[in-house]
Amino acid sequence: GNREHTLVNALLFHTRELSSLSPERPGIVHRLDKETSGVMVVAKTNAAHLELSRQFKKHTIERRYIALVEGEIEFDEGVIDAPIKRHILDRKKMVVSFSGEAKGAHTVYKVLKRFQNYTAVALFPQTGRTHQLRVHLSFLGHPVLGDRTYGRVKSFTRLALHAMVLG
């Protein structure tokens, strides 16, 4: 709902050519949660937008994130295979659910470094569900630091989740 001071406004300042497939978000192929930092995909042409969207849908694009999470994750690496659906009462939140209407969600993780009470972890989402990484990590009992929705409000000054690689 923000019409000013957006990434799209900045892009349009530098170029007049952006994909028009999504009129409300010209050029934006891949979105990040509002608080997540990092790389995004933007298309200048409709043909590029269609091709990039196809690659995202087929999961042929590598996506790698890095996060700082609460607690010390026990295993060096693993797969979180937990379906996700919209929360029944709070429609802005997602939740792990093993009911029929939940959609499959898979996240591969690898511990980068353990600190006292925190863990740096690389995340490789295999699916693209809303809030997937944040929901999965919270489900494991290791919410992302600074996550006001799925973790503790005052654990960090901002969401410690960064999109590192899209390729």
Side-chain angles (χ1 to χ4, degrees), residues 1 6 8 13 15 23 25-26 45 74-75 77 81-82 86 105 123 125 139 141 163:
T6 66
V8 169
F13 178 80
T15 181
R25 286 186 296 274
T45 68
E74 182 179 0
F75 300 106
E77 55 188 41
D81 185 3
R86 193 160 299 282
L123 302 161
F139 177 70

Short mmCIF file of all heavy atoms in Angstrom, two decimals, residues 1 6 8 13 15 23 25-26 45 74-75 77 81-82 86 105 123 125 139 141 163:
data_model
loop_
_atom_site.label_atom_id
_atom_site.label_comp_id
_atom_site.label_asym_id
_atom_site.label_seq_id
_atom_site.Cartn_x
_atom_site.Cartn_y
_atom_site.Cartn_z
N GLY A 1 0.79 -1.20 0.00
CA GLY A 1 0.00 0.00 0.00
C GLY A 1 0.83 1.27 0.00
O GLY A 1 0.29 2.35 -0.06
N THR A 6 9.57 3.71 -2.51
CA THR A 6 9.67 2.27 -2.70
C THR A 6 10.81 1.94 -3.66
O THR A 6 11.34 2.83 -4.35
CB THR A 6 8.36 1.71 -3.29
OG1 THR A 6 8.20 2.22 -4.62
CG2 THR A 6 7.15 2.06 -2.43
N VAL A 8 10.44 0.32 -6.40
CA VAL A 8 9.92 0.60 -7.74
C VAL A 8 10.11 2.08 -8.08
O VAL A 8 10.53 2.42 -9.20
CB VAL A 8 8.44 0.18 -7.88
CG1 VAL A 8 7.85 0.71 -9.17
CG2 VAL A 8 8.32 -1.34 -7.84
N PHE A 13 13.07 5.98 -11.37
CA PHE A 13 13.86 7.21 -11.45
C PHE A 13 15.07 7.00 -12.37
O PHE A 13 15.48 7.89 -13.09
CB PHE A 13 14.32 7.63 -10.05
CG PHE A 13 15.19 8.86 -10.06
CD1 PHE A 13 14.63 10.13 -10.17
CD2 PHE A 13 16.57 8.74 -9.96
CE1 PHE A 13 15.44 11.25 -10.18
CE2 PHE A 13 17.38 9.87 -9.97
CZ PHE A 13 16.82 11.13 -10.08
N THR A 15 15.40 4.33 -14.69
CA THR A 15 15.07 3.78 -15.99
C THR A 15 13.56 3.87 -16.21
O THR A 15 12.80 3.72 -15.28
CB THR A 15 15.51 2.31 -16.15
OG1 THR A 15 15.17 1.85 -17.46
CG2 THR A 15 14.87 1.40 -15.12
N PRO A 23 1.21 -4.37 -12.95
CA PRO A 23 1.09 -2.91 -12.92
C PRO A 23 1.29 -2.29 -11.52
O PRO A 23 1.82 -1.19 -11.41
CB PRO A 23 -0.34 -2.66 -13.41
CG PRO A 23 -0.72 -3.88 -14.16
CD PRO A 23 0.03 -5.01 -13.52
N ARG A 25 3.33 -3.42 -9.26
CA ARG A 25 4.75 -3.54 -8.93
C ARG A 25 5.55 -3.75 -10.22
O ARG A 25 6.05 -4.86 -10.45
CB ARG A 25 4.98 -4.69 -7.96
CG ARG A 25 4.55 -4.41 -6.55
CD ARG A 25 4.94 -5.54 -5.61
NE ARG A 25 4.29 -6.81 -5.91
CZ ARG A 25 3.10 -7.17 -5.47
NH1 ARG A 25 2.42 -6.38 -4.71
NH2 ARG A 25 2.60 -8.34 -5.79
N PRO A 26 5.70 -2.73 -11.05
CA PRO A 26 6.38 -2.90 -12.33
C PRO A 26 7.79 -3.46 -12.16
O PRO A 26 8.57 -2.99 -11.34
CB PRO A 26 6.45 -1.48 -12.90
CG PRO A 26 5.51 -0.67 -12.11
CD PRO A 26 5.30 -1.35 -10.80
N THR A 45 12.00 -6.07 -19.17
CA THR A 45 11.07 -6.38 -20.26
C THR A 45 10.07 -7.46 -19.84
O THR A 45 10.35 -8.25 -18.93
CB THR A 45 11.81 -6.87 -21.52
OG1 THR A 45 12.38 -8.16 -21.22
CG2 THR A 45 12.90 -5.89 -21.95
N GLU A 74 21.23 -27.64 17.04
CA GLU A 74 21.95 -28.86 17.41
C GLU A 74 22.71 -29.50 16.26
O GLU A 74 23.89 -29.83 16.38
CB GLU A 74 20.96 -29.87 18.00
CG GLU A 74 21.61 -31.16 18.46
CD GLU A 74 20.63 -32.13 19.06
OE1 GLU A 74 19.42 -31.82 19.13
OE2 GLU A 74 21.08 -33.22 19.45
N PHE A 75 22.04 -29.70 15.13
CA PHE A 75 22.65 -30.41 14.01
C PHE A 75 23.33 -29.45 13.04
O PHE A 75 22.87 -28.34 12.82
CB PHE A 75 21.60 -31.25 13.28
CG PHE A 75 20.94 -32.27 14.16
CD1 PHE A 75 19.65 -32.08 14.59
CD2 PHE A 75 21.63 -33.40 14.56
CE1 PHE A 75 19.04 -33.00 15.43
CE2 PHE A 75 21.04 -34.34 15.39
CZ PHE A 75 19.74 -34.14 15.83
N GLU A 77 23.56 -29.63 9.81
CA GLU A 77 22.74 -29.39 8.64
C GLU A 77 21.49 -30.25 8.72
O GLU A 77 21.43 -31.21 9.48
CB GLU A 77 23.50 -29.67 7.35
CG GLU A 77 24.10 -31.05 7.25
CD GLU A 77 25.01 -31.19 6.05
OE1 GLU A 77 25.78 -30.27 5.74
OE2 GLU A 77 24.91 -32.25 5.40
N ASP A 81 11.01 -30.05 6.72
CA ASP A 81 9.94 -30.45 5.81
C ASP A 81 8.64 -30.32 6.58
O ASP A 81 8.19 -31.27 7.22
CB ASP A 81 10.17 -31.88 5.34
CG ASP A 81 9.18 -32.33 4.29
OD1 ASP A 81 8.34 -31.51 3.88
OD2 ASP A 81 9.25 -33.51 3.88
N ALA A 82 8.06 -29.12 6.56
CA ALA A 82 6.87 -28.84 7.35
C ALA A 82 5.91 -27.97 6.54
O ALA A 82 6.26 -26.85 6.18
CB ALA A 82 7.26 -28.15 8.65
N ARG A 86 -1.97 -20.33 6.13
CA ARG A 86 -2.28 -19.06 6.78
C ARG A 86 -2.88 -19.34 8.15
O ARG A 86 -3.66 -20.26 8.32
CB ARG A 86 -3.25 -18.25 5.91
CG ARG A 86 -3.37 -16.81 6.35
CD ARG A 86 -3.92 -15.90 5.27
NE ARG A 86 -3.13 -15.82 4.05
CZ ARG A 86 -2.02 -15.11 3.91
NH1 ARG A 86 -1.54 -14.43 4.92
NH2 ARG A 86 -1.37 -15.08 2.76
N ALA A 105 6.24 -27.32 2.23
CA ALA A 105 7.32 -26.33 2.31
C ALA A 105 8.59 -27.04 2.78
O ALA A 105 8.56 -27.79 3.77
CB ALA A 105 6.95 -25.21 3.27
N LEU A 123 20.51 -20.74 4.64
CA LEU A 123 19.20 -21.33 4.36
C LEU A 123 18.98 -21.43 2.86
O LEU A 123 19.28 -20.49 2.12
CB LEU A 123 18.11 -20.45 4.98
CG LEU A 123 18.22 -20.23 6.48
CD1 LEU A 123 17.42 -19.02 6.91
CD2 LEU A 123 17.79 -21.47 7.22
N PRO A 125 15.86 -22.33 0.63
CA PRO A 125 14.46 -22.71 0.47
C PRO A 125 14.26 -23.48 -0.84
O PRO A 125 14.73 -23.05 -1.88
CB PRO A 125 13.72 -21.37 0.45
CG PRO A 125 14.74 -20.36 0.06
CD PRO A 125 16.07 -20.87 0.53
N PHE A 139 9.41 -22.71 14.07
CA PHE A 139 8.90 -24.06 14.33
C PHE A 139 9.97 -24.93 14.97
O PHE A 139 9.68 -25.75 15.85
CB PHE A 139 8.40 -24.66 13.01
CG PHE A 139 7.91 -26.07 13.12
CD1 PHE A 139 6.72 -26.36 13.78
CD2 PHE A 139 8.62 -27.11 12.54
CE1 PHE A 139 6.26 -27.67 13.87
CE2 PHE A 139 8.17 -28.41 12.62
CZ PHE A 139 6.99 -28.70 13.29
N GLY A 141 12.15 -23.88 16.93
CA GLY A 141 12.49 -23.31 18.22
C GLY A 141 13.67 -22.36 18.15
O GLY A 141 14.26 -22.02 19.17
N ALA A 163 18.92 -12.02 2.07
CA ALA A 163 18.95 -12.79 0.83
C ALA A 163 20.31 -12.57 0.18
O ALA A 163 20.61 -11.48 -0.31
CB ALA A 163 17.83 -12.33 -0.11
#
